[in-house]
Amino acid sequence: MISLGVLGSGAGSNLQAILDAIHARTLEASVAVVLSDQPGAFILKRAEKAGIPTAVIDCEGHPGKFPEAAQARTVCLLKEAGVELVCLAGFMRLIGKPLLEGFPERILNVHPSLLPAFPGLHAWEKAVEFGATESGCTVHVVDSGVDTGRIVSQARVPVLPEDTPGVLHARIQVEEHRLYPATIQKFSDQLGENKV
Ligand code: GRF
């Protein structure tokens, strides 16, 4: 059974989907620790409610940067908790060298578009503005770029003419909550078979 560490900055609905899948036994994993750069983030409340240890990553007052020292501390926290696979779930800082070297090819992210289309922030807004007729979500391995890592899985949703960005994001999130736990299971199976 693989040990996960989840990093998020916001609502944590993807953490909840992971926890629900573990509870339903469709995902054979445990969440060892949940970390956030935002002390007030709801993802921490969800973790506490589930009895999972949490910690806040101190980013030294930088609003968007992820200082290398903070990344090194994050690696320590994850290793101390026995984490084997790191899952980003709405984590809003760019991952750099210390974390990538601490967990090579062992960091996954879920992104709300069909990458390589619409990387970066507010992907669902970009899809509506562009007039896309289809969007979706992507689970990918994290590298040093913005949503550029190897794609592991994708799910598609239609974009309807009357969609607002919020309506589209909600539709995408339904798919994220299904795709992310299922992909974590598949990915960890492959890790066990030394295929990744
Ligand atoms: C999701 O849409 C995810 O794709 C993106 O950030 C959002 C996080 O949502 N990376 P939540 O915090 O898991 O509810």
Side-chain angles (χ1 to χ4, degrees), residues 10-15 89-91 109-112 124 169 173 176-177:
S13 67
N14 279 284
L15 167 69
F91 188 68
N109 182 41
V110 60
H111 180 77
W124 57 90
H169 190 208
Q173 284 220 291
E176 290 183 350
H177 299 159

Side-chain angles (χ1 to χ4, degrees), residues 1-8 12-24 27-36 43-55 77-78 80-89 180-181 184-185 188:
M1 191 166 73
I2 195 155
S3 178
L4 308 175
V6 179
L7 269 63
S13 67
N14 279 284
L15 167 69
Q16 195 62 56
I18 291 168
L19 295 175
D20 292 349
I22 291 172
H23 187 71
L27 173 56
E28 277 179 78
S30 60
V31 178
V33 67
V34 172
L35 305 176
S36 180
I43 192 170
L44 293 173
K45 301 271 177 307
R46 290 186 196 263
E48 283 158 18
K49 197 170 165 218
I52 298 165
T54 62
L77 287 169
L78 292 166
E80 277 165 18
V83 167
E84 296 162 290
L85 179 64
V86 180
C87 298
L88 306 185
Y180 206 14
I184 293 167
Q185 179 66 60
S188 71

Side-chain angles (χ1 to χ4, degrees), residues 142-158:
V142 172
D143 65 11
S144 59
V146 178
D147 304 314
T148 50
R150 179 169 67 82
I151 291 172
V152 184
S153 64
Q154 291 186 309
R156 293 167 185 275
V157 302

Side-chain angles (χ1 to χ4, degrees), residues 129-140:
E129 272 165 28
F130 181 78
T133 55
E134 188 177 54
S135 188
C137 53
T138 302
V139 178
H140 65 94

